[in-house]
Amino acid sequence: MSRILVIGAGIVGLCCANALRAEGREVMVLDRDPAGDKCSFGNAAGIGVTEIIPASVPGLAWKVPGWLRDPLGPLSLRPAYLPKLAPWLLRFLRHGTWSEVERIAAALATLSGRTYKDLLPLLDEIGLGGDLRPVGALWAYETAAGFAADARFRAIRRQHGLVCEEISGAEARALEPALGEAVRHAMFTPQWSHVADPRRIVDRLRRHVEQRGVTVARGEATAIFGNELLLADGRRLDFCHLVVAGGAWSGRLAGSLGDRVLIESERGYNTTLPTPGVTLSHEVIFAERAFVATPIDAGLRIGGAAEFAGLDAPPNYARSDALAQLATRYLPGLNTAGGTRWMGHRPTTADSLPVIGTSPRRPDVVYAFGHGHTGLTFGPTTGRLVAELVAGRPTSVDVAPFSIARFQ
Ligand SMILES: Cc1cc2nc3c(=O)[nH]c(=O)nc-3n(C[C@H](O)[C@H](O)[C@H](O)COP(=O)(O)OP(=O)(O)OC[C@H]3O[C@@H](n4cnc5c(N)ncnc54)[C@H](O)[C@@H]3O)c2cc1C
């Protein structure tokens, strides 16, 4: 059997399928609902090349109690879920040292450095080159203390060639007149971009791979036995290589091979406002409150939040409403009426690094998941790396830091 099976028709799985097909391989993508809603559809549309700072940083533990006291704040843990979350959480906290931040940032910078080299040709290939808005992003701060606290993150980004221009609140308003007086300090990151509609990219890419001869099939993978994948409906599919790109669900499949991984669903929310009443031309990141506003084709998308409640708990859309409400503090003219609410499962590892590489137990199984906040950004580069791994070629960036072996 010469077929490569890719599990997951999100942005990461489709980028892998496309890169493998470009090398002439026979490829089948399997998803429990190939065209259905997924994290890759409703995200904040940012090409966040400056997002190399991990989530676990020194000092975070001090902020957590305050965040948790606010029921609709940036972080929420459902108490009943804590025992399940504990191993991930303990490991997450262990990574919150400066040496770990610098190590993780250096690894993510290797992906960031390739982002446009892999993203731009892909967008052109699927006819959506014009969907990229290469205008930079603005990071807005309310307090001098909050701006000063991020100084070391700016320094780390600069070490990796990422431009961080420090500007005043007034200069930020000159760039984005809709911002109110609450914004007193800002950072402009010119290398950041956003796209007009992440869902359009995924839908177009899925049709594109099908047109190139990739089979996209419906089915739920439950376990891997030998060279066969077992599906929930009892079918068995054989493969020569298997790519696990199942987003936040990938840990279950890796576990069926005995590969341990600390991955959680970091549930994120947004509201897309069709008639926001204000105009933004850049993505704006409200750094102290951990949410963003992105101008996309469907309107203004206000997104953020990190909720740890597992893959099965129902969404709490009050979080979507709370984000839209919070945005009025910074965008005084914002019209929050008529918004569409959404929740997605970010596939988030304890160290904020994706899992990209072959299984230590099975050289024919390749992992491509755990992209957390940056799956849209790093998906095309992940596809390239997976194709290189399957072909047995040296990879364009060192994948050692992304190996699943770090969790064993
Ligand atoms: C609020 C929010 C904002 C975000 N903003 C950004 C942003 O601005 N920029 C950015 O780069 N990223 C952003 N992200 C993150 C980004 O959306 C994700 O990292 C990315 O979508 C992950 O893609 P994926 O293909 O790995 O997973 P998914 O999109 O979740 O796709 C995984 C697919 O695998 C399928 N699957 C899983 N297990 C199985 C199985 N056993 N059998 C069959 N099918 C299976 C699922 O059905 C699903 O379709 C954001 C996320 C959220 C929630």
Side-chain angles (χ1 to χ4, degrees), residues 331-368:
L331 298 164
L334 189 68
N335 171 26
T336 59
T340 303
R341 306 183 298 177
W342 178 85
M343 188 275 283
H345 295 281
R346 292 187 196 94
T348 299
T349 58
D351 58 6
S352 300
L353 291 171
V355 178
I356 306 170
T358 47
S359 161
R361 292 158 203 274
R362 291 277 304 259
D364 55 344
V365 174
V366 182
Y367 295 124

Side-chain angles (χ1 to χ4, degrees), residues 67-80:
W67 284 342
L68 290 178
R69 268 196 300 278
D70 177 355
L72 296 177
L75 175 68
S76 133
L77 305 179
R78 290 202 190 165

Side-chain angles (χ1 to χ4, degrees), residues 77-298:
L77 305 179
R78 290 202 190 165
Y81 193 66
L82 253 182
K84 167 104 189 1
L85 183 66
W88 184 97
L89 192 58
L90 291 173
R91 174 80 177 242
F92 174 85
L93 293 171
R94 261 179 45 206
H95 289 292
T97 64
W98 283 115
S99 62
E100 276 299 90
V101 170
E102 286 179 11
R103 179 186 70 83
I104 293 166
L108 290 175
T110 64
L111 298 178
S112 167
R114 275 214 63 91
T115 293
Y116 289 114
K117 291 186 195 122
D118 296 315
L119 174 72
L120 297 181
L122 179 79
L123 290 178
D124 284 342
E125 190 183 323
I126 61 174
L128 291 180
D131 271 23
L132 188 75
R133 311 275 184 265
V135 294
L138 202 55
W139 301 56
Y141 292 80
E142 212 169 337
T143 68
F147 188 65
D150 283 0
R152 192 151 171 188
F153 302 138
R154 292 191 285 276
I156 293 172
R157 289 185 172 107
R158 286 178 183 130
Q159 276 168 24
H160 294 288
L162 297 165
V163 178
C164 302
E165 295 169 9
E166 296 176 30
I167 61 176
S168 66
E171 287 168 320
R173 271 182 289 285
L175 279 173
E176 288 294 2
L179 289 173
E181 295 294 324
V183 176
R184 298 198 180 87
H185 307 270
M187 169 171 89
F188 182 62
T189 50
Q191 291 139 311
W192 189 290
S193 307
H194 62 275
V195 296
D197 181 355
R199 178 178 183 153
R200 182 156 64 219
I201 291 174
V202 181
D203 282 340
R204 186 72 71 85
L205 183 55
R206 191 180 60 255
R207 285 198 294 273
H208 176 76
V209 297
E210 284 184 296
Q211 280 159 9
R212 294 179 84 187
V214 171
T215 305
V216 179
R218 184 182 287 265
E220 174 152 10
T222 54
I224 304 158
F225 287 116
N227 271 48
E228 286 188 329
L229 183 70
L230 184 63
L231 307 197
D233 59 10
R235 275 182 294 159
R236 286 169 181 264
L237 299 174
D238 51 8
F239 58 83
C240 69
H241 280 90
L242 180 76
V243 179
V244 179
W249 292 266
S250 303
R252 294 176 181 172
L253 282 169
S256 83
L257 280 184
D259 283 332
R260 180 173 185 254
V261 57
L262 289 170
I263 184 169
E264 278 294 330
S265 162
E266 182 192 342
R267 298 150 57 108
Y269 289 84
N270 69 41
T271 298
T272 306
L273 303 170
T275 49
V278 297
T279 304
L280 289 182
S281 41
H282 308 83
E283 179 167 355
V284 180
I285 296 122
F286 299 94
E288 290 155 297
R289 304 273 182 160
F291 77 100
V292 306
T294 317
I296 62 169
D297 277 3

Side-chain angles (χ1 to χ4, degrees), residues 8 10-12 31-32 38-40 43-44 46 219 221 246 372-377:
I11 185 68
V12 176
D31 196 296
R32 63 170 75 90
K38 46 183 59 59
C39 192
S40 302
N43 61 53
H373 292 228
T374 46
L376 177 66
T377 307

